[in-house]
C-alpha cells in the first residue's frame, strides 16, 4: 500500500474557479457542447501557459465564434477582437508589449473567411505571436453554415446539397498555405480524437508557445476539432469522422519547422520619437515653447462639433486645428474626418469632440454645434443638433436659413469675409473665430498662437489671424 503513488488531477489554475457568464450564474462548466474540441484545446493551452509560468504576461485574444467566451474562462489578460481581427489586434499588442505572450485563438470562419487576409499578413510579417486555428469545418456559433474548410460533399445550412467544387471551390488548407510563406517559424496540423493524438496536439501547443517565449517568431497550430452539434453527429461519431473523412483532406503532421535555425529576435520596429510627435499631431509638446500663452483652467465641457461642407473648403483642417487647440488646453479630444472619394468638390465632414472627461468613441450622432459651410450639409445635419445647441452657417453660401426653433442660430458670411481679407481659404478661420467667441472656453490668445504653430505656413499667418478676428467680432455682435 505504501508504495502506491497518487496523482491529484486538477483544473489548471489559470482557469477561474467558477465561470460567471451571466450575472449571478456561478458555473463550474463551460458553455461548449458535449464532445466539442474547444474544451480540450482550452485545457492544453491552459496547462502549457501554467507550466511555462507565463500566466501574468499572457493576453488571450478571443475570436468571434463559439470560443468568444474564452475570457470567462482564462484568468489572463483578455481582448475580444472584431471578427477575424485577432492577428491585427495581436500585432498591435505584441509590438507595444514585446515581453507579453499573445495567444490568438480562432475558428475557421474567423480565421479563414472574414479574417483570411488578416492572418496571411500577420504570418507574412512574422509577428511573434502564437495562433491556434480551430478547424471544425463549419460555423459552429451561427448554426452550421459553410466555412472555407467545409469539405466537398459536406452538408451545411448554406450548402444543403453538399459543398461542390463548381459552386464553392475547394476547402482552404490554411496550414499548407501559411507554411509556404517565408516568415512563419512553425506550422503543424493536429487532431483531437484519441489520447495519442491529443498528446501530439499537446506537444504542438507547447512548441508554438515556447517559440514565442524564445522570440522565434510566428507559430501556427491547426487543430482538427469536433463540432458534434454542427455536424449533427454524436461526440463518438464526430471523432470517427475526423479520422475517417476530415484527416484525408487535411493531413495532420508538421508542415514547417525552422525554429532551430532561427535566432531569437525582437524585431526593432520604428518607434516615434518625441520630436516626431511634435511634428505630427501633439500640440501639447509645443506648450513647452517659451512663448506659449497662458492656458486657462479646463472647464466641465463636452463639446461635440460637426463641421461639414465641400472638399476644399477647409472643413477637415478646421476640425484638425480645433482639436489640436483643445488638446493644447489639456482637454481630451478626438478628430474624425469623413470625406467622399473626390479630392475637390465632394462632400466632407469631420467630427471633433472636446471634453474634460475621457472620450469613448469619436463618432458624433447629435452635435452640440454644427458648423455648416454649404446647403447640403445644413440639410443633412440640421435635425441632428441637440436642442439648445448651436448652428453656425455660412449665410453667404446658404440662402435658406435653418428651420429649427429650439437651437441657437448664427449666420455669418464667412467665405465673403475671407475673400475680402485676401483668400476664401481663410473662411474656416472666420468660423473658428465665431465658434470660439460664442462658446468661450478656449483662450483667444492661445488660438492665435496655436493656429500659427499648427498651420505653420508663414505666408498665411497674417490672413488667418485677421480671419479669426473677424470671427471673434461677429461672435461678440451675436452675443450682444
Ligand atoms: C462582422 C461579423 N460578421 C458575421 C458575424 C456572425 N458570426 C458570428 S460567429 C461566425 C462564424 C463562427 O465560425 P468559426 O469561426 O468557424 O467558429 P466556431 O463557432 O465554429 O468555433 C459568424 C459568421 C459576426 N458576429 N460579425
Ligand atoms: S456548436 Fe460546435 S463548435 Fe460550437 S460549442 Fe457546440 S460543438 Fe463546439
Amino acid at each position: 500500500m505504501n508504495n502506491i503513488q497518487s496523482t491529484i488531477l486538477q483544473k489548471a489554475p489559470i482557469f477561474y474557479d467558477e465561470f460567471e457568464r451571466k450575472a449571478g450564474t456561478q458555473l463550474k462548466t463551460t458553455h461548449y457542447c458535449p464532445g466539442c474540441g474547444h474544451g480540450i484545446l482550452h485545457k492544453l493551452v491552459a496547462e502549457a501557459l501554467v507550466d511555462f509560468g507565463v500566466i501574468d504576461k499572457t493576453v488571450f485574444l478571443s475570436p468571434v465564434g463559439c470560443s468568444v467566451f474564452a475570457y470567462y474562462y482564462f484568468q489572463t489578460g483578455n481582448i475580444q477582437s472584431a471578427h477575424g481581427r485577432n492577428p491585427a489586434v495581436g500585432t498591435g499588442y505584441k509590438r507595444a508589449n514585446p515581453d507579453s505572450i499573445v495567444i490568438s485563438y480562432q475558428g475557421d470562419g474567423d480565421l479563414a473567411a472574414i479574417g483570411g487576409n488578416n492572418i496571411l499578413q500577420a504570418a507574412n510579417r512574422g509577428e511573434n505571436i502564437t495562433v491556434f486555428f480551430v478547424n471544425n469545418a463549419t460555423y459552429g456559433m451561427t448554426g452550421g453554415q459553410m466555412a472555407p474548410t467545409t469539405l466537398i460533399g459536406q452538408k451545411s445550412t448554406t450548402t444543403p446539397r453538399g459543398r461542390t467544387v463548381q459552386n464553392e471551390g475547394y476547402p482552404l488548407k490554411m496550414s499548407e498555405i501559411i507554411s509556404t510563406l517565408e516568415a512563419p517559424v512553425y506550422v503543424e496540423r493536429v487532431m483531437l480524437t484519441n489520447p495519442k493524438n491529443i498528446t501530439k496536439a499537446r506537444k504542438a501547443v507547447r512548441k508554438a508557445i515556447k517559440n514565442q517565449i524564445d522570440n522565434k517568431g510566428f507559430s501556427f497550430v491547426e487543430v482538427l476539432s469536433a463540432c458534434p452539434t454542427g455536424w449533427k453527429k454524436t461526440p463518438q461519431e464526430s471523432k470517427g469522422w475526423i479520422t475517417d473523412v476530415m484527416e484525408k483532406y487535411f493531413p495532420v503532421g508538421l508542415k514547417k519547422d525552422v525554429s532551430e535555425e532561427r535566432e531569437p529576435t525582437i524585431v526593432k520596429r520604428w518607434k516615434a520619437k518625441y520630436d516626431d510627435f511634435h511634428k505630427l499631431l501633439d500640440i501639447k509638446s509645443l506648450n513647452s515653447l517659451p512663448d506659449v500663452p497662458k492656458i486657462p483652467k479646463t472647464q466641465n465641457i463636452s463639446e461635440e462639433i460637426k463641421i461639414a461642407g465641400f472638399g476644399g473648403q477647409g472643413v477637415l483642417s478646421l476640425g484638425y486645428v480645433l482639436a489640436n487647440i483643445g488638446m493644447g488646453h489639456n482637454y481630451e479630444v478626438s478628430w474624425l474626418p469623413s470625406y467622399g472619394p473626390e479630392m475637390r468638390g465632394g462632400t466632407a465632414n469631420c467630427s471633433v469632440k472636446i471634453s474634460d472627461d475621457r472620450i469613448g468613441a469619436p463618432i458624433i450622432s447629435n452635435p452640440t454645434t454644427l458648423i455648416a459651410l454649404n446647403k447640403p450639409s445644413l440639410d443633412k445635419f440640421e435635425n441632428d443638433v441637440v436642442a439648445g445647441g448651436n448652428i453656425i452657417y455660412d449665410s453667404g453660401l446658404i440662402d435658406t436659413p435653418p428651420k429649427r426653433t429650439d437651437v441657437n442660430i448664427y449666420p455669418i458670411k464667412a467665405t465673403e469675409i475671407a475673400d475680402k481679407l485676401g483668400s476664401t481659404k481663410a473662411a474656416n478661420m472666420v468660423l473658428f473665430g465665431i465658434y470660439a467667441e460664442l462658446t468661450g472656453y478656449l483662450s483667444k490668445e492661445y488660438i492665435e498662437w496655436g493656429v500659427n504653430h499648427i498651420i505653420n505656413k508663414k505666408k498665411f499667418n497674417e490672413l488667418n489671424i485677421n480671419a479669426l478676428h473677424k470671427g471673434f467680432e461677429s461672435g461678440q455682435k451675436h452675443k450682444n
Side-chain angles (χ1 to χ4, degrees), residues 38 64-67 83 106-111 114 134 136 138-142 147 227:
H38 279 304
V64 173
C66 278
S67 46
H83 211 1
Q106 301 183 256
D108 41 27
D110 190 81
L111 181 140
I114 194 166
V134 179
N136 58 15
T138 190
Y139 286 12
M141 185 192 202
T142 41
C227 175

Coordinates of all heavy atoms in Angstrom, one line a residue, residues 38 64-67 83 106-111 114 134 136 138-142 147 227, ligand 1:
H38 N -13.2 22.5 -28.6 CA -12.7 23.8 -28.0 C -12.3 23.5 -26.5 O -11.3 24.0 -26.1 CB -13.8 24.8 -28.0 CG -14.0 25.6 -29.3 ND1 -13.0 26.2 -29.9 CD2 -15.1 25.8 -30.1 CE1 -13.4 26.8 -31.0 NE2 -14.7 26.5 -31.1
V64 N -14.5 36.0 -32.7 CA -16.0 35.8 -32.8 C -16.2 34.4 -33.3 O -15.6 34.0 -34.2 CB -16.5 36.9 -33.8 CG1 -18.0 36.6 -34.0 CG2 -16.3 38.3 -33.2
G65 N -17.1 33.7 -32.6 CA -17.3 32.3 -32.8 C -17.6 31.6 -31.5 O -17.8 32.3 -30.5
C66 N -17.7 30.3 -31.5 CA -18.1 29.6 -30.3 C -17.2 29.9 -29.1 O -17.6 29.9 -28.0 CB -18.2 28.1 -30.5 SG -19.8 27.7 -31.2
S67 N -15.9 30.2 -29.4 CA -15.0 30.4 -28.3 C -14.9 31.9 -27.9 O -14.0 32.3 -27.2 CB -13.6 29.9 -28.8 OG -13.3 30.3 -30.1
H83 N -14.6 40.3 -35.6 CA -14.5 39.0 -36.3 C -13.3 39.0 -37.2 O -13.1 39.8 -38.1 CB -15.8 38.9 -37.1 CG -16.2 37.5 -37.4 ND1 -15.6 36.4 -36.8 CD2 -17.3 37.0 -38.0 CE1 -16.2 35.3 -37.2 NE2 -17.3 35.7 -37.9
Q106 N -8.6 31.1 -32.8 CA -9.5 31.5 -33.9 C -10.2 30.3 -34.5 O -9.6 29.2 -34.7 CB -8.8 32.3 -35.0 CG -8.1 33.5 -34.5 CD -7.5 34.3 -35.7 OE1 -6.3 34.3 -35.8 NE2 -8.3 35.0 -36.5
G107 N -11.5 30.4 -34.9 CA -12.2 29.4 -35.6 C -11.9 29.5 -37.1 O -11.2 30.4 -37.6
D108 N -12.5 28.6 -37.9 CA -12.2 28.6 -39.3 C -13.0 29.7 -40.1 O -12.5 30.2 -41.1 CB -12.5 27.2 -40.0 CG -13.7 26.5 -39.5 OD1 -14.6 27.2 -39.0 OD2 -13.7 25.3 -39.5
G109 N -14.2 30.0 -39.6 CA -14.9 31.2 -40.1 C -14.1 32.4 -39.8 O -13.9 33.3 -40.7
D110 N -13.7 32.5 -38.6 CA -13.0 33.8 -38.1 C -11.7 33.9 -38.9 O -11.4 35.0 -39.4 CB -12.8 33.6 -36.6 CG -12.3 34.9 -36.0 OD1 -13.1 35.8 -35.7 OD2 -11.0 35.0 -35.8
L111 N -10.9 32.9 -38.9 CA -9.5 33.0 -39.4 C -9.4 32.9 -41.0 O -8.7 33.6 -41.6 CB -8.6 31.9 -38.8 CG -7.2 31.9 -39.2 CD1 -6.3 31.6 -38.0 CD2 -6.9 30.9 -40.3
I114 N -13.6 35.6 -42.9 CA -13.6 37.1 -42.8 C -12.2 37.6 -42.4 O -11.9 38.7 -42.8 CB -14.7 37.5 -41.7 CG1 -14.9 39.0 -41.8 CG2 -14.3 37.1 -40.3 CD1 -16.2 39.5 -41.0
V134 N -8.8 26.6 -34.9 CA -9.7 25.5 -34.7 C -10.5 25.2 -35.9 O -11.4 26.0 -36.3 CB -10.7 25.8 -33.5 CG1 -11.6 24.7 -33.2 CG2 -9.8 26.1 -32.2
N136 N -13.1 23.2 -37.5 CA -14.2 22.2 -37.3 C -15.1 22.2 -38.5 O -16.2 21.7 -38.5 CB -15.0 22.5 -36.0 CG -15.6 23.9 -36.0 OD1 -15.7 24.5 -37.0 ND2 -16.0 24.3 -34.8
T138 N -16.9 24.1 -40.1 CA -18.3 24.7 -40.0 C -18.2 26.0 -39.2 O -17.3 26.2 -38.5 CB -19.3 23.7 -39.4 OG1 -20.6 24.2 -39.6 CG2 -19.1 23.5 -37.9
Y139 N -19.3 26.8 -39.4 CA -19.5 27.9 -38.5 C -20.4 27.4 -37.3 O -21.6 27.2 -37.5 CB -20.3 29.0 -39.2 CG -19.6 29.9 -40.2 CD1 -18.4 29.5 -40.7 CD2 -20.2 31.0 -40.7 CE1 -17.7 30.3 -41.6 CE2 -19.6 31.8 -41.6 CZ -18.3 31.4 -42.1 OH -17.7 32.2 -43.1
G140 N -19.7 27.0 -36.2 CA -20.5 26.4 -35.1 C -21.5 27.4 -34.5 O -22.6 27.2 -34.3
M141 N -21.0 28.6 -34.2 CA -21.7 29.5 -33.4 C -23.1 30.0 -34.0 O -24.1 30.1 -33.4 CB -20.9 30.8 -33.1 CG -21.6 31.8 -32.2 SD -20.7 33.3 -32.2 CE -21.3 34.0 -30.7
T142 N -23.0 30.1 -35.4 CA -24.2 30.7 -36.0 C -25.1 29.6 -36.6 O -26.0 29.9 -37.4 CB -23.8 31.7 -37.1 OG1 -22.6 31.1 -37.8 CG2 -23.4 33.0 -36.6
A147 N -18.1 26.8 -44.0 CA -16.8 27.5 -43.7 C -15.9 27.3 -44.8 O -16.1 26.4 -45.7 CB -16.2 26.9 -42.4
C227 N -17.2 19.3 -34.0 CA -18.4 20.1 -33.7 C -19.6 19.2 -33.8 O -20.3 19.2 -34.8 CB -18.5 21.3 -34.7 SG -20.0 22.3 -34.5
Ligands
LIG1 C1 -18.6 41.1 -38.6 C2 -19.4 39.9 -38.3 N1 -19.9 39.1 -39.3 C3 -20.6 38.0 -39.0 C4 -20.8 37.6 -37.7 C5 -21.6 36.4 -37.5 N2 -20.8 35.3 -37.0 C6 -20.6 35.0 -35.7 S1 -19.7 33.7 -35.4 C7 -19.5 33.4 -37.0 C8 -18.7 32.3 -37.5 C9 -18.0 31.5 -36.5 O1 -17.5 30.3 -37.0 P1 -16.0 29.9 -36.7 O2 -15.0 31.0 -36.8 O3 -15.7 28.7 -37.6 O4 -16.0 29.5 -35.2 P2 -16.8 28.3 -34.4 O5 -18.1 29.0 -33.9 O6 -17.1 27.2 -35.3 O7 -15.9 28.0 -33.2 C10 -20.1 34.4 -37.8 C11 -20.2 34.4 -39.2 C12 -20.3 38.5 -36.7 N3 -20.5 38.2 -35.4 N4 -19.6 39.6 -37.0

